[in-house]
Amino acid sequence: MTTTVPGRVPQRIHPHKFVMWVAMSGIIMMFAGLTSAYIVKKNQSSWLQFDLPVLFWYSTAVILLSSVTMFLSARAIKAGKTNSYKLMITITATLGALFLLLQYLGFRDLQAKNIALVGPRSNSAASFVFVITLLHMLHVLGGVIALLVFAVKANAKKAKDFSFIPIEVLGTYWHFVDLLWIYLFLFYNWIG
Amino acid sequence: MSNEAVLHTHSGAHDGHGDHSHEHHHETFITKYVFSQDHKMIAKQFLITGMVWAVLGGLMSVLFRLQLGYPDQSFPWLEDILGKWAKGGHITPEAYYALVTTHGTVLVFFVLTAGLSGTFANFLIPLQIGARDMASPFMNMLSYWFFFIAGLVMLCSVFVETGPFSGGWTAYPPLSALGDASPGSKTGMDLWLISMALFVVSSLLGGLNYIATVLNMRTKGMSMTRLPLTIWALFFTAVLGVLSFPVLFSGFILLIFDRNFGTSFYLSDIFVNGVGALPNEGGSAILYQHLFWFLGHPEVYIILLPAMGMVSEIMSVNSRKPIFGYMAMIGSLFAIAILAFLVWAHHMFVTGLNPFLGSVFVLLTLLIAVPSAIKVFNWLTTLWRGNIRFTPGMLFAIGFVSLFISGGLTGIWLGNSALNIHLHDTYFVIAHFHIVMGVASMFGMFAGIYHWFPKMYGRFMNNTLAYIHFWVTIAGAYMIFWPMHYEGLAGMPRRYYDYSIWESFKQFQGLNQFISLVAMIVFAAQFLFLFNFFYSVFKGRKVTTQNPWESNTLEWTTPIHPGHGNWVGEIPEVHRWAYDYGKDGVDFIPQTTPVGADESHH
C-alpha cells in the first residue's frame, strides 16, 4: 500500500516517456513471438543453414556508433549546447540511414549467393531472417524519420524550443532499436 | 494538479491558466464530434461504432441461424438482400461460412474489444482516477480512427465479388494463406488482414494510453489500492492487449508473406484442386495456431476483464455494501492476467500436440478456476444481505455473474485434454464460449451503459424498456445456448452447413429451429435497447443531481455535463478507497471526503 505524504508530490515519470516504455514492451513481444517461431521452425525438417552476410557486422557497428551520437546529442541539449546538438542529431540520423542501406546491401549479398529470401524457392530459414530483419528495419526507419524531423526543427531559424522530453523519448527509442538489433544479431548467429 | 505539473513542466508554451478548467478552445463541429481529443467523446465514438457493429454482427448470426433452423425452407426475401449469396432463397454454403467468419471477427474484435474496453477505458479511466484526459489525447484520437478505418475495410470486404473471408475468425492457414483455396480466401482475406492489422494498431495505441494514464495520471491521494476495481480491470486488460496483440501481428506478418510473397512459414506439401501441387515446403500450419492463440487466449480476458471490473463496481454501488474482498479481487484479476498467457495451447489439444505438453496446459487451464471462483464468491458475498437496488445496470451485473458461472463451469470440462477429444469442435464449445465470453461480456457492457449513461449524456434511460430488455435477453441467452450443450455432447460438430443430411444429427432439427427462433427474438429485443439509448440521449429524463446513484467514485464529483478537462477548478483530492458504503451507519462516503477522526478502520 502506497501512501502519499501530504503536501509532497511524488516524482513521477513523464507520461510520454512511460508510453514509450510500454510501447517498447509491445515491440519486444512481437519480436519474441517471431524469434520463438524461428526456434520452433528450426527444430523441424528442411532447415537451411547459411552464413549471415558480412555486411551485417558493419551495420552492427554503425548502429552501435549511432547510439553513442544519440547519447551525445541528448547530453548536448541538456548542457544547452545547441550547435553540438544539431550536429549530433544529424549524424545520428545519417548513421541510421547508413544502417538501413547496409542491411539492404546485406540482403542483396544473400541473394547473390543464391539464397532466396521469398518466393517459391525460398527456405523458411532465410525467409525468417529476412522478415524479422525487415520488421526491425521498419522500426529503425521510423526512428530515422523522427530524427530527421528533429534535425530539421533544430536547424529551422525560428524554432528555439529545445524541450528536453521529446529528445529523451526519441533517445530511448533509438537505443532500444539498437539493442533490439544486437539481440537479433546474437540470435541469428549463436542462439537460434 | 500534479498531472499537469508533470505534463507541462518542460513545455514553455503553457501559461498559468491551464490549471483551471482547462483551456476552452473554440470548438467546431469537427473538433467536438469528429476529430475530438476529449476522452469522453472518443468513448462515445467507440460505443456507437461498436453498437453499429453489434447490430451487423448480430444480423449475420440471425441469417446463418435461418439456415441452421430451417435448412429446407426457402426465403425469397433473402435473395433480394443478399443476391447471388442466397440463390433461390437459400443461403449458399460460401455465404454461410462468410457469415460465420465475419460474425466471429466482428463480435470478438470490433464489439467486445473496441466497443467494450474502447468505450469504458476511455470514459472511466480519466474520470475515476481524477485526470483531465488521457496521457496522450492525440494518440487516443488516432486509436479511434484506426478502429474506424479497420471497420470500414471490413465492411468493404463484405461487398467484394468473391465475398468476405470465410475460413473462420481464427484465419488458420492454409485456407487463409492460399487465394485459390476458396472464394473467400481471395480479396476478402486481403481486406480481412488489412482490417485486422489496422485494428491491432488501434488496440495498441489505446492500450498504451490506458496503461500510462492509470499509472501516471492519478490525482493526489489516489494510490493504486484506492482505485475502483473498474480501473484495475481495465488496466490489466490494456496490459494483456499490449503484450499479446503484437504476437498476433507477428503471426499475421508471416501469413502475409506466405500469401503474397511465396514463403513457406505455414505451408507444406499442398495440393489444390484445379491448381495442382504447390512448391511450398517445410512450413507448419501449427506454428500459426501457436502465434494466433498466444493472442487468442488473452483476447478472451481482454473481452471479459472490463466486464468483471464494471460488474464489481456496479454491484457494490447498488448493494450499498463495500465490495467483498477488494484485495482478493485485484489479486484474482492479476492471476487471471498471468494465467491468460500460459494456457493458449488448450485451443490446440487435438492438433497433435505432445500429450505431456498437453497435460501441463490442462493444469494451467484448470488453475484459472481458482481466481474465477474467488471472483464469483466475492460477487455473491457482496450481494449477500445487501440493500439491493435493482436498477437495470444492477440486473445486468447480476446476469453477468449468472452467465459467468454457467459458462465457466463448462470451461472445466473443455480444459481437460481427454474430454476435449470428444468435445472439441462441437456445439459444446460454441455454447461454452458464447455464454462465458460473448453474452457475459455483452451483459457487462449493458450494465456499464445503463449505469454510466447518466454521466455520459446527463439523462437517464427508460427503466421499463430496460427491464424488458434484460429479461428477454437473459432468458433468451440461456434458451439459445443451453440446448447447444446437449447437441455438443451428442457430437454435433460446429461450422456444418446443413445437419439434416446427417443421420446422427437430424434428431436435433426441432431443437435447432427452437434456437433460431429464440435468436431472432433476442436480436429483435436488442432494438428496444437501441431505441431506449438513442431516444434517451435526446429526450431522456434529465439528471438533476451530480451523483444520481449515490456512488463514491470520482466521476460523480464532476458537473452533470463535464467539459473537456472534466473538473471545473482543481481536481479533487482522494482520501479513501472507493467502497465505503454503509460504513459506521453512513450510507455512502465519497472518495473525496477526508477520513474523520472517529472513523473506524476497514
Side-chain angles (χ1 to χ4, degrees), chain A residues 1-2 4 7 9 12-16 18-19 22-23 25-26 29-30 33-34 37 40-41 44 46 117-120 122 124 127-128 130-131 134-135 163 165, chain B residues 2-3 6-7 10 135 139 208 211-212 215-218 220-221 223 225 242-243 246-247 249-250 253-254 257 261-265 279 282-284 287 291 294:
Chain A
M1 185 131 179
T2 48
T4 36
V9 179
R12 286 183 190 161
I13 181 169
H14 190 281
H16 294 173
F18 191 81
V19 168
V22 184
S25 68
M29 285 307 288
M30 182 166 85
L34 287 166
V40 170
K41 201 72 228 324
Q44 292 173 353
S46 63
L117 304 172
V118 293
S122 65
S124 39
S127 307
F128 258 119
F130 176 62
V131 172
L134 190 70
L135 271 178
S163 65
I165 291 292
Chain B
S2 55
N3 308 322
V6 173
L7 259 179
H10 300 282
M139 263 171 63
L208 293 180
I211 296 172
L215 290 183
N216 293 298
M217 311 271 288
R218 300 190 310 278
K220 198 171 165 193
S223 60
T225 46
V242 166
L243 295 182
V247 180
F249 199 64
S250 58
I253 288 162
L254 299 183
F257 271 85
F261 302 103
T263 53
S264 310
F265 293 114
S284 152
L287 187 60
L291 291 171
F294 192 85

Side-chain angles (χ1 to χ4, degrees), chain B residues 440-458:
Chain B
S441 302
M442 223 47 200
F443 268 52
M445 193 165 166
F446 285 132
I449 294 171
Y450 282 115
H451 188 78
W452 278 288
F453 190 86
K455 190 75 257 166
M456 286 182 174
Y457 294 100

Side-chain angles (χ1 to χ4, degrees), chain B residues 339 342-343 349 357-369 415-417:
Chain B
L339 287 171
L342 303 174
V343 297
F349 282 145
L357 201 61
S359 67
V360 174
F361 278 101
V362 170
L363 176 71
L364 290 164
T365 302
L366 297 187
L367 271 181
I368 297 185
N416 280 289
S417 54

